[in-house]
Amino acid sequence: MHRSLAGWLAGCVVAAGCGTTTYEIPRSELVRLAAVAPDQRGRQVRVVQQLSDTDVGPVQPVYENTQVVLFPQPWVNGPDRRRYSESHWNGNVGNLGSSGGGHASGGHGGGGLHLSGGGGSGKGEAIVILAAAAIVLFASAAVEGSRYDGYAQLHPMQPVYLFGKDGEQTVMPLAWIDPDTAQWADRAIVRSSEGPFRELGRAPLDRAGFTYAMLGGLGGYKSLDGSVANGPAATIQFGYFFDQQVGLVGTAFFGWRDNATAQTLFDSRYTVELQGYPVQLGRVHLGLYGGGGMAYRWEDYGPNTYGDGSTALVGGALVQLDINTRLALTGRLGVTDAHDELMTDALFGLSVY
C-alpha cells in the first residue's frame, strides 16, 4: 500500500475510534436505566464509543469513594419535563460527593451503473471500482472494529450529558435520571475520563442500522460459443438493517473470465436484495437472500464486441461468523436468473455494521 494511503487510513482510525473519550448511551438503554434503582445503575451500562469527542465542557470527575446521593428536589420546566435545579448540583460531582447534602442510598434492584465499451474495458473499470471499494472497506472496518461498543461499569454519580429533542441541554448524575428525563432526552453522553470506567465486554453482533460489505470469489459465466466456465467474481453491498435479522441491501456485482478466443467476457449486475438471518448458533448466523434488478454482459469475441442486458433475479444462502459488535465474516452461495440462463456464484468477505 502506498505510504500516503497507509498514513491516511491510520489517521482515520486514530481520529474516529480508539482515541475518543466520549461514549453515547443509546436512548433505549437510558430508558431502561431510569427504571433501575439509582445506586445499581452503574453496574452494567451499554455504551457506544463515538467517532469523535463531543465537547461537553470541563471535566467533572468522580472517584471510587464518591458518595452516592439520591434525587434532589425536582422542579418542572414545561409539560412532562423533569429538571433539576442547578442549586442542587453545581456541576462538580466530586464536590457533590464530598458535601453533606443528601444521603447515601440503600441497595435496591433496479437498475444501476452500466459499464460498457467491451468486455476488456468493462473489466478494467470494474477493477478500479473494486480497488476503491476495498480501501473504503478497510478504513471503515478499522474504524468500526477499533471503537468500543459494549458494556461498561460506571459510578452512579457519573455525569451524564443530556441533549433534548427541543435543543435544550442539561447534565446530571446517572443516579438522578428519572423516567420523564429519559423520555425527554434524545441523546446521552458520558466521558470515560470523568470517573471509574471499566469495560465489561463488547456486545454481540448488532446489525441494526447501515451496513457496508465487500465479498469476492468465483462465478459461472456462459460464453457466446455456449461454454460455461468459472471466473473471478466480486460484489459491493450497501444497505440498512431494520433490526437484528432483516435488512434491505443494494448490490453491485462484477465478474469476468477469458473465452475461447483468449478475450474477455464481462458480467455486471445491479440488484436490491432482502436479506434475513433467522437462525443463530452461537457466533454463527444462517440466512437467506433474494431480490432483483438488471444484468449486463459484454464479450469481446474475435474482431467484434457483443453485449446485452436483461432483468436479473437473485437468491441464495447466507452464513456469517461474527467477529465483534460491528464486524462479521460473510459467505454466500447464490443463483442468478439473467440472460435466459441460470448462473451460480460463491462469495466470501467482510461485512461492517
Side-chain angles (χ1 to χ4, degrees), residues 164-225:
K165 303 179 186 68
D166 53 9
E168 294 184 24
Q169 301 179 21
T170 190
V171 55
M172 63 180 67
L174 180 62
W176 289 8
I177 298 173
D178 67 352
D180 287 344
T181 303
Q183 290 293 338
W184 166 86
D186 186 51
R187 296 176 61 218
I189 302 295
V190 295
R191 289 197 286 202
S192 59
S193 58
E194 291 188 321
F197 187 96
R198 298 184 182 90
E199 295 182 357
L200 301 178
R202 289 178 178 266
L205 178 66
D206 184 3
R207 295 188 188 89
F210 288 101
T211 180
Y212 177 64
M214 187 173 178
L215 314 177
L218 291 175
Y221 314 104
K222 185 176 182 179
S223 175
L224 287 170
D225 60 13

Side-chain angles (χ1 to χ4, degrees), residues 2-335:
H2 193 277
R3 184 172 299 176
S4 62
L5 176 59
W8 176 78
L9 292 176
C12 287
V13 175
V14 173
C18 53
T20 59
T21 61
T22 59
Y23 295 72
E24 183 165 356
I25 301 176
R27 190 169 181 273
S28 59
E29 174 71 352
L30 193 67
V31 171
R32 184 191 72 82
L33 291 171
V36 177
D39 64 325
Q40 304 297 314
R41 292 178 184 175
R43 289 190 173 183
Q44 182 171 290
V45 180
R46 177 69 184 271
V47 295
V48 181
Q49 190 174 21
Q50 295 194 292
L51 295 177
S52 59
D53 278 317
T54 298
D55 184 7
V56 291
V59 174
Q60 305 178 54
V62 298
Y63 308 97
E64 290 280 2
N65 60 352
T66 296
Q67 181 183 3
V68 178
V69 179
L70 285 184
F71 301 110
Q73 292 297 317
W75 60 284
V76 178
N77 177 19
D80 300 323
R81 296 179 189 172
R82 179 150 306 190
R83 289 291 190 278
Y84 297 94
S85 170
E86 292 184 0
S87 65
H88 291 281
W89 186 36
N90 64 6
N92 189 319
V93 181
N95 291 343
L96 174 65
S98 61
S99 69
H103 58 278
S105 68
H108 300 283
L113 174 66
H114 184 178
L115 299 182
S116 61
S121 60
K123 170 186 172 181
E125 293 173 21
I127 289 174
V128 172
I129 293 173
L130 291 170
I135 292 173
V136 174
L137 180 71
F138 181 87
S140 60
V143 169
E144 293 296 341
S146 65
R147 68 178 180 140
Y148 185 74
D149 183 347
Y151 300 95
Q153 184 179 29
L154 311 178
H155 195 284
M157 300 307 291
Q158 172 86 28
V160 181
Y161 300 88
L162 301 167
F163 300 80
K165 303 179 186 68
D166 53 9
E168 294 184 24
Q169 301 179 21
T170 190
V171 55
M172 63 180 67
L174 180 62
W176 289 8
I177 298 173
D178 67 352
D180 287 344
T181 303
Q183 290 293 338
W184 166 86
D186 186 51
R187 296 176 61 218
I189 302 295
V190 295
R191 289 197 286 202
S192 59
S193 58
E194 291 188 321
F197 187 96
R198 298 184 182 90
E199 295 182 357
L200 301 178
R202 289 178 178 266
L205 178 66
D206 184 3
R207 295 188 188 89
F210 288 101
T211 180
Y212 177 64
M214 187 173 178
L215 314 177
L218 291 175
Y221 314 104
K222 185 176 182 179
S223 175
L224 287 170
D225 60 13
S227 65
V228 178
N230 291 329
T235 183
I236 304 166
Q237 300 182 337
F238 182 79
Y240 186 88
F241 268 74
F242 307 106
D243 54 27
Q244 176 67 6
Q245 295 185 336
V246 179
L248 193 65
V249 177
T251 297
F253 174 99
F254 305 116
W256 58 85
R257 73 171 178 90
D258 291 341
N259 60 19
T261 63
Q263 293 174 288
T264 301
L265 185 164
F266 175 73
D267 192 292
S268 62
R269 307 165 199 162
Y270 309 93
T271 58
V272 176
E273 302 173 0
L274 186 66
Q275 298 184 355
Y277 288 91
V279 179
Q280 180 175 351
L281 304 172
R283 294 175 57 198
V284 177
H285 308 256
L286 304 178
L288 298 169
Y289 74 92
M294 295 296 296
Y296 301 95
R297 179 168 57 190
W298 293 86
E299 184 172 1
D300 300 327
Y301 204 96
N304 300 315
T305 294
Y306 301 86
D308 72 323
S310 77
T311 58
L313 297 177
V314 298
L318 297 165
V319 60
Q320 278 193 334
L321 175 66
D322 64 66
I323 300 174
N324 58 33
T325 314
R326 301 283 179 168
L327 304 178
L329 297 175
T330 303
R332 60 192 271 159
L333 294 174
V335 177

